[in-house]
Structures are given as C-alpha cells and as structure tokens.
Amino acid sequence: MPTCPLDKLGSALSGLCLLHCLAGPLVLGLAAGAAVDHHALHGLHAGMALMVVPVSGWALIAGVCRHRRGVVLVAGVAGLALMLMPIAGLEARLGHGPALTLTALGSVLLMAAHQWNMCLRPLEADSRP
C-alpha cells in the first residue's frame, strides 16, 4: 500500500489537531464565563487520538520500511507523544500554557514527519534497480 495518501491524511489530521490547539483557547476566551465540560474535552482528545495514531503509525512505518530512514519514524513518534499529552493527564502537572505549547509543537513535528516521508518517496523510486 502506498504511504503517500496516508501521509497526506496523517498530515491533515495533525493540522486539525494544531487548529484545535490554537483555536480552542481563542473560542473559550470569547465565550468568557461559559462552562467548560472537561470530560467532553477529554473525549474529544481521545477521539482525535483514535484517528491520528493508527493513520500516522501505519504511514510512517510503511514509509520507513521503504526508504530505510528511521529518523522519520523517531520524529513522528516524538510528535505523537507530545500530541498525546492532554490524554495522559500531563496538562494538570505542567499547566495549560506549557502543555498547549508542547502539544502544538507535537502537531507541527508530526506534520513535518509526514511531509518528510512523502519527500523521500521519489528518492526510494530512484534507488531501485
């Protein structure tokens, strides 16, 4: 199975996570005084993770199996780990601001890993006999 469509989907899902990270506080700030259902937010984060983790995992592993550059997988796993911080409950320990920053950084890192994976596809085709 080609990794390119999965990398595009993984990159798009990571972008949605980034949008959620950046727009969420803005929306909540505009709705000052609105009650925030933290259980619903946790469910949203878990639902997003259920989409991002398998797609990204499959795409990155398949790509690395083809082009043999494990650093792409390392970057992707690091990005996923940072993105999963809200689910792991680390936001309570770090505070919202630092956790938000690290989660957004994770989204960008994962998108970069997917883009890197796609860029290496032409190189893998050139290296075949």
Side-chain angles (χ1 to χ4, degrees):
M1 174 177 229
T3 60
C4 197
L6 286 177
D7 279 313
K8 288 179 182 178
L9 179 59
S11 188
L13 290 173
S14 300
L16 285 175
C17 290
L18 180 62
L19 183 64
H20 167 74
C21 284
L22 299 178
L26 179 66
V27 170
L28 289 176
L30 292 175
V36 176
D37 185 358
H38 292 285
H39 293 294
L41 284 176
H42 187 73
L44 175 65
H45 292 150
M48 291 171 79
L50 283 173
M51 291 185 295
V52 172
V53 171
V55 169
S56 292
W58 185 272
L60 293 171
I61 290 170
V64 169
C65 286
R66 290 174 172 233
H67 55 66
R68 306 276 190 236
R69 290 180 176 86
V71 69
V72 176
L73 183 60
V74 171
V77 168
L80 279 171
L82 289 170
M83 284 176 60
L84 295 176
M85 285 179 51
I87 296 170
L90 293 177
E91 185 174 9
R93 286 183 157 173
L94 296 175
H96 182 71
L100 178 68
T101 301
L102 291 173
T103 305
L105 178 64
S107 297
V108 171
L109 185 57
L110 185 57
M111 282 190 289
H114 281 296
Q115 295 300 317
W116 197 2
N117 214 21
M118 286 189 284
C119 287
L120 290 172
R121 286 182 55 78
L123 296 177
E124 86 184 33
D126 293 342
S127 65
R128 290 187 183 163

